[in-house]
Amino acid sequence: MKKAFPGGIHPNYNKELTAGKPIATLPLPKKVRLLLQQHLGAPCEPKVQKGDEVTVGQLIADSDKFVSAPVHASVAGKVVSVDSEAIEIETDATNSEFQGSPASYQGPEELRQLIREAGIVGLGGATFPTHVKLSPPKDKEVHTLVLNGAECEPFLTTDHRVMVEQGQAVIDGLKLLMEACGASKTLIGIEENKPDAIETLKELSANDDNIQVFGVEVVYPQGGERQLIKTLTGQEVPVGGLPLDLGIVVSNIATAVAVHQAVRQGKPLIDRVVTVSGAGVAEPQNVLVRLGTPVQDLLDFCGGLSEEAAKVVNGGPMMGKALSDLNAPVTKGTSGILAFTEDEVRIYEERTCIRCASCVDACPMKLLPNYLALYSKRKRYETAEDINLFNCIECGCCSYVCPSRIPIVQYIQNAKHEINIKRRK
């Protein structure tokens, strides 16, 4: 299926480094550091104190705000510190194997509450609390669930391996998601560079008339929810609107599996699959890891960093963030840990815009990135807002194609940050 949205780019995908490797499991870390905010929305408040003994899967932090998601102990052990940002637990390796039982519920509302209590958020990187996304306002009716299996960021292959190895859990999870939001059908979009995943899900859903699996064109950012909706349905989310305005809810492959585990196994979100890859990693692979594990442990498990490694990124190369501390913990939003060499992260000097409009052509949101960057750089924030600054999805296509090496998306991000700070005052 060809893309239906404008713009987009074709970077080097480099998925062959890990796409064919089965998911490995990281041994238990000696200690985990679980952040109180691993999601969009209100941060959680600790429910434990230093010195407490906790069991694996125990609720340790929560919030009374609707837009939030609780945090659970990813290992059993002793709480060794609690501060304003995180809870640290020293692992009891003999008791950290999770053992749960199926949860029971009656109706969509109780199912959404169960998903909330499991701490599930969007695992594609957005980390929006899933129970919120599944709770449409009374004047909105959901008819379609879009399951996002595009995984268009270069290097990342976690969803790919999950679809191949845990396809039945994906199908069961999407049926639970449909029940929770009231959707009557599901459209699954998977980029065509994952033929084994497309085949697996087609076979597993062959008897379900209300589930359709589509191979979609390989182009970045096909996995943006607005872009995938446009490709699969031909519909366009209105400016300033949400997929709900079209009667659509979008969820991610790993999120569907997390919902399956919460309902069928009673397991809260305590681990996730992370792609560890890049030329700076000795043995790239996909790894199942407990939340709160230090990034350094992941890298050590994958043979460590090479001598040429110069930069480590949390997430994909297009939208990820550079890590300054390798002891930073894996969170619910960590889809990848990538290590790049010096040649790959060379810093270029920003030059003057030559008005080629390459950024305009590449923008999947039909914006004017050149002017957004200019106004943002000059702190003309109101003017930037007038030309839809906040419609930018920060995919980075503009910066990627700019021949003058202008860090366009960074200027846009800074402007949004400054505006949001002013609004909170």
Side-chain angles (χ1 to χ4, degrees):
M1 179 179 286
K2 292 289 185 183
K3 75 175 178 82
F5 59 90
I9 59 174
H10 294 279
N12 292 326
Y13 288 98
N14 294 299
K15 291 177 182 283
E16 70 282 358
L17 294 172
T18 54
K21 296 182 178 179
I23 297 168
T25 299
L26 185 76
L28 288 170
K30 293 180 180 178
K31 186 190 292 185
V32 294
R33 177 173 173 82
L34 294 150
L35 300 186
L36 298 175
Q37 185 161 22
Q38 303 182 45
H39 52 269
L40 290 181
C44 292
E45 296 293 331
K47 300 294 182 185
V48 293
Q49 297 179 334
K50 182 180 178 180
D52 287 354
E53 297 285 344
V54 297
T55 58
V56 60
Q58 178 180 330
L59 177 74
I60 58 171
D62 203 352
S63 167
D64 58 3
K65 305 298 184 184
F66 181 59
V67 184
S68 187
V71 178
H72 301 79
S74 58
V75 295
K78 183 177 182 179
V79 177
V80 293
S81 76
V82 179
D83 57 42
S84 59
E85 293 184 347
I87 297 168
E88 288 190 348
I89 303 171
E90 202 170 69
T91 302
D92 172 3
T94 59
N95 293 302
S96 287
E97 190 69 29
F98 180 80
Q99 295 181 339
S101 56
S104 61
Y105 65 92
Q106 292 186 338
E109 186 171 345
E110 286 191 15
L111 178 54
R112 291 193 293 269
Q113 181 63 19
L114 196 158
I115 291 169
R116 185 215 176 273
E117 290 173 357
I120 297 173
V121 303
L123 296 178
T127 68
F128 192 76
T130 299
H131 69 280
V132 179
K133 187 176 273 193
L134 297 172
S135 304
K138 291 181 179 178
D139 61 336
K140 306 283 187 186
E141 185 175 344
V142 176
H143 51 73
T144 301
L145 172 72
V146 167
L147 197 64
N148 189 346
E151 200 170 47
C152 59
E153 270 265 12
F155 291 95
L156 303 187
T157 58
T158 62
D159 285 348
H160 183 175
R161 292 310 309 174
V162 168
M163 286 188 281
V164 171
E165 298 180 37
Q166 303 174 32
Q168 194 60 61
V170 172
I171 297 296
D172 184 61
L174 76 83
K175 291 179 179 177
L176 292 165
L177 287 166
M178 289 171 65
E179 183 180 352
C181 68
S184 59
K185 65 178 180 181
T186 292
L187 308 177
I188 306 176
I190 307 171
E191 282 196 333
E192 290 168 339
N193 57 2
K194 307 171 189 62
D196 49 352
I198 295 171
E199 182 180 356
T200 298
L201 295 194
K202 280 188 173 180
E203 287 180 0
L204 292 172
S205 62
N207 295 323
D208 296 294
D209 294 337
N210 59 347
I211 300 174
Q212 292 179 279
V213 182
F214 296 95
V216 298
E217 183 181 349
V218 180
V219 56
Y220 180 85
Q222 183 72 267
E225 67 175 13
R226 290 167 183 263
Q227 286 66 43
L228 192 58
I229 287 172
K230 179 70 172 171
T231 295
L232 293 176
T233 72
Q235 295 181 282
E236 198 162 325
V237 179
V239 174
L242 297 169
L244 271 177
D245 296 323
L246 302 176
I248 295 172
V249 165
V250 181
S251 193
N252 161 268
I253 293 293
T255 309
V257 172
V259 170
H260 159 82
Q261 293 174 337
V263 176
R264 308 305 183 198
Q265 303 168 13
K267 179 186 172 185
L269 185 56
I270 58 172
D271 55 22
R272 68 157 299 149
V273 180
V274 177
T275 298
V276 184
S277 190
V281 176
E283 301 170 16
Q285 53 188 318
N286 292 300
V287 184
L288 178 65
V289 56
R290 300 291 178 101
L291 299 179
T293 298
V295 167
Q296 184 67 63
D297 285 16
L298 257 180
L299 292 169
D300 291 343
F301 182 71
C302 295
L305 295 174
S306 69
E307 291 184 0
E308 296 76 24
K311 183 177 183 180
V312 177
V313 171
N314 184 340
M318 298 301 296
M319 298 184 72
K321 306 291 184 187
L323 279 173
S324 59
D325 181 2
L326 297 184
N327 287 316
V330 171
T331 68
K332 296 176 182 180
T334 304
S335 53
I337 297 295
L338 307 180
F340 298 112
T341 63
E342 195 164 335
D343 286 344
E344 294 172 312
V345 298
R346 188 180 304 162
I347 297 175
Y348 295 92
E349 183 180 354
E350 176 183 340
R351 300 190 295 269
T352 303
C353 174
I354 59 174
R355 301 181 186 277
C356 66
S358 296
C359 58
V360 179
D361 293 337
C363 180
M365 293 299 293
K366 296 188 284 190
L367 301 174
L368 299 172
N370 48 346
Y371 284 104
L372 287 173
L374 178 65
Y375 296 142
S376 297
K377 185 177 181 179
R378 294 179 178 177
K379 301 188 185 303
R380 292 174 58 184
Y381 298 142
E382 288 187 7
T383 310
E385 282 195 85
D386 287 343
I387 57 172
N388 300 313
L389 175 77
F390 280 93
N391 277 4
C392 172
I393 61 172
E394 302 175 19
C395 63
C397 288
C398 49
S399 299
Y400 183 86
V401 300
C402 179
S404 295
R405 307 290 186 179
I406 299 172
I408 298 173
V409 74
Q410 290 180 26
Y411 284 126
I412 292 173
Q413 289 170 336
N414 289 340
K416 288 182 177 180
H417 180 68
E418 292 297 324
I419 292 169
N420 285 327
I421 287 176
K422 286 183 179 178
R423 287 176 177 172
R424 286 197 290 267
K425 287 181 179 177

